Amino acid sequence: MNKKDITSIRNQFKLNSRYINIREIFNVYVKKETGEIYHQVCQPFEMLEQEEQELFLTNFKKVLTGGLDSKLFELKFRRDEEESTQMTLFNGLHATSTDEWNEKMLQIVEKMFAHAKYEFDTVVTFIRGEYQKATRKRNMESEEGGDDEVYSSQFVLCSLNKTDQPKKALLFDYIEKEFKANNAVDPIINLAAPLAGFLFPAFNDNSADVNHILYNGGKANQPSEIFIVDVLQCEEIITAVEEKDSFDQILKIVVGDEVDSKVISNVYEEIDKIVQESQENEENEESEPPKLDSKGIERILEASGVENVSSDKVEHAFKSVVFDEKHEIKASSVIPKSIKIETKIANVTINPKDLKNLKYITYNGKKCLVLEVDEEVVVEGFRLESGEL
């Protein structure tokens, strides 16, 4: 799933949505440490109070929120697994009765807590529903399109949430006009920050892909290997941070420890061109994200002005860092959002494309960072005087 697909379905999790129909919600309360199910309840989503619906809808949006390859990951199911999670989800999705659906979802819960124990009670929430998407935008002149023709797919979404104990507080009773202690003992289900979650199936090119699942790791760049491998039974993944680290190591082997800031800026600029071209093609439904193998990295380094680049040198660096020779690094993972330069005097944060405006020089025997700017510099409301080196 690309960002556009995820955003499209996430935006439909709202009250009275035209394109998402949530039929059932199944909540399972699990005790800490033992992993035993304390309570379970399934009911039509429409039977919930509106305030409850809003809380859950916010939670479901959270499951579909985050950066790709940092918090959200499209996973591929492993093949030939006995009692595979993929088949459990598929059979549950198409179950003809609520009892059968609940039974399948409880099998997922059993896998979750067979491999992990928590220091707090947790609640696992499943919903089953239908997602629709218009095949084309509505033409206001001909009044064609829109809801006239839609793509339609069933889905299961899961959210794993922790419970918090209510904090002691002093309350004011408006009716009795007195202050009193808050004696609430009921645990609070934290729907604002899911520990993990997933959407099955994944959606690609407006169709359901039952061989993939969209997984939310809870925290950026901290996916649970146990959840991915043992619970979902999917292939292992590499985060965007790991991809970036691999690329940096390859670059250091090829270029060396010292490099001109302009060269690094050129490298990021070349990669950004590839990403931008891919995003333009994405609108034409060519949504495969661009990836870099050793040949791709070689072309980028040559175009960036790196000297003495050879196929053997880049290939050797690639193989020494990336153990799987068939692996390709996602181009979007390589470009940092910002570059932070830390010194004892000051810290400087700049955009990667502006790195070429930064120079590291020696002046009068002193090391200096020189940042080229095209406007006046204001500090604490004062314009700095300009001088000449």
Side-chain angles (χ1 to χ4, degrees):
M1 297 181 71
N2 56 36
K3 291 181 181 178
K4 189 175 181 180
D5 292 329
I6 297 171
T7 301
S8 178
I9 188 171
R10 182 179 65 233
N11 289 343
Q12 295 306 317
F13 280 100
K14 56 188 177 182
L15 291 175
N16 304 316
S17 172
R18 295 170 59 187
Y19 295 112
I20 277 189
N21 175 29
I22 302 174
R23 297 196 299 272
E24 299 161 299
I25 181 168
F26 183 35
N27 286 308
V28 183
Y29 192 101
V30 183
K31 296 291 288 182
K32 63 182 179 181
E33 298 175 351
T34 64
E36 294 178 358
I37 295 176
Y38 179 75
H39 180 65
Q40 63 187 64
V41 59
C42 183
Q43 61 190 123
F45 190 73
E46 292 181 349
M47 295 298 291
L48 299 178
E49 297 289 339
Q50 181 174 317
E51 189 174 359
E52 288 182 86
Q53 290 185 23
E54 290 176 341
L55 289 170
F56 276 114
L57 288 169
T58 299
N59 174 240
F60 304 150
K61 281 186 175 181
K62 293 286 186 181
V63 174
L64 300 175
T65 299
L68 280 171
D69 299 317
S70 61
K71 193 173 182 180
L72 293 175
F73 302 87
E74 183 175 331
L75 309 178
K76 184 178 181 180
F77 287 107
R78 298 199 305 269
R79 293 184 177 275
D80 303 323
E81 290 284 339
E82 293 185 7
E83 300 180 357
S84 69
T85 300
Q86 180 184 15
M87 287 307 301
T88 301
L89 286 167
F90 183 84
N91 292 333
L93 182 62
H94 297 284
T96 56
S97 70
T98 298
D99 290 341
E100 184 182 357
W101 179 59
N102 291 352
E103 179 187 347
K104 297 299 181 183
M105 296 307 100
L106 288 175
Q107 291 177 18
I108 305 293
V109 174
E110 184 179 342
K111 286 185 179 181
M112 286 183 185
F113 294 91
H115 297 95
K117 297 292 184 289
Y118 297 94
E119 297 178 352
F120 39 78
D121 292 354
T122 53
V123 173
V124 187
T125 300
F126 296 95
I127 57 171
R128 181 168 63 153
E130 182 181 20
Y131 169 55
Q132 296 181 340
K133 183 180 178 182
T135 59
R136 56 196 174 102
K137 293 182 179 179
R138 192 166 191 82
N139 187 314
M140 300 308 295
E141 294 181 1
S142 64
E143 296 187 355
E144 294 180 350
D147 295 340
D148 295 343
E149 187 177 277
V150 297
Y151 299 107
S152 179
S153 298
Q154 297 185 71
F155 71 91
V156 169
L157 184 141
C158 170
S159 178
L160 173 63
N161 300 285
K162 67 176 294 189
T163 62
D164 299 317
Q165 294 301 315
K167 296 180 179 180
K168 293 182 179 180
L170 187 65
L171 306 179
F172 179 72
D173 190 325
Y174 270 96
I175 298 175
E176 301 295 334
K177 294 183 179 180
E178 62 180 4
F179 295 95
K180 60 175 66 174
N182 175 19
N183 296 318
V185 295
D186 295 333
I188 300 170
I189 303 171
N190 187 345
L191 296 176
L195 299 173
F198 59 80
L199 172 70
F200 174 84
F203 294 92
N204 289 300
D205 295 329
N206 299 313
S207 62
D209 179 2
V210 297
N211 292 314
H212 290 82
I213 187 171
L214 185 68
Y215 160 73
N216 183 313
K219 294 183 179 180
N221 299 305
Q222 296 182 34
S224 169
E225 183 178 346
I226 292 176
F227 202 99
I228 292 170
V229 176
D230 297 323
V231 179
L232 298 178
Q233 296 178 315
C234 291
E235 296 178 356
E236 295 184 29
I237 57 171
I238 299 176
T239 67
V241 169
E242 292 170 332
E243 294 263 69
K244 175 70 167 63
D245 183 60
S246 295
F247 180 81
D248 289 346
Q249 290 182 54
I250 293 170
L251 196 63
K252 187 174 289 187
I253 293 173
V254 177
V255 178
D257 291 336
E258 293 187 5
V259 64
D260 188 271
S261 59
K262 187 176 181 180
V263 171
I264 301 178
S265 178
N266 290 342
V267 169
Y268 289 143
E269 191 172 326
E270 290 296 323
I271 298 174
D272 186 59
K273 288 179 183 177
I274 296 173
V275 174
Q276 294 301 325
E277 288 175 3
S278 172
Q279 290 177 350
E280 291 175 3
N281 292 334
E282 193 173 286
E283 297 180 359
N284 300 324
E285 299 185 356
E286 298 178 16
S287 56
E288 183 68 23
K291 297 180 180 181
L292 305 173
D293 56 9
S294 61
K295 292 294 183 182
I297 293 175
E298 180 187 349
R299 288 192 293 270
I300 287 170
L301 296 184
E302 288 178 343
S304 302
V306 178
E307 299 179 353
N308 302 320
V309 176
S310 67
S311 299
D312 291 341
K313 193 174 184 180
V314 177
E315 187 175 348
H316 170 73
F318 193 92
K319 289 181 178 179
S320 63
V321 174
V322 181
F323 298 105
D324 183 0
E325 295 181 12
K326 296 181 180 179
H327 178 73
E328 296 177 325
I329 297 173
K330 283 189 177 181
S332 58
S333 300
V334 170
I335 307 173
K337 293 181 179 179
S338 63
I339 295 177
K340 188 174 183 179
I341 303 168
E342 297 182 350
T343 70
K344 292 181 180 180
I345 303 299
N347 296 329
V348 180
T349 301
I350 62 174
N351 191 296
K353 66 181 181 180
D354 296 324
L355 190 59
K356 57 188 174 185
N357 297 325
L358 188 72
K359 301 293 181 183
Y360 180 46
I361 65 171
T362 300
Y363 178 70
N364 287 342
K366 296 181 179 181
K367 297 178 179 180
C368 304
L369 277 178
V370 180
L371 180 62
E372 180 183 338
V373 296
D374 56 6
E375 74 279 351
E376 293 182 335
V377 178
V378 178
V379 177
E380 296 294 331
F382 296 93
R383 293 196 307 274
L384 294 185
E385 292 183 354
S386 177
E388 296 287 341
L389 281 177

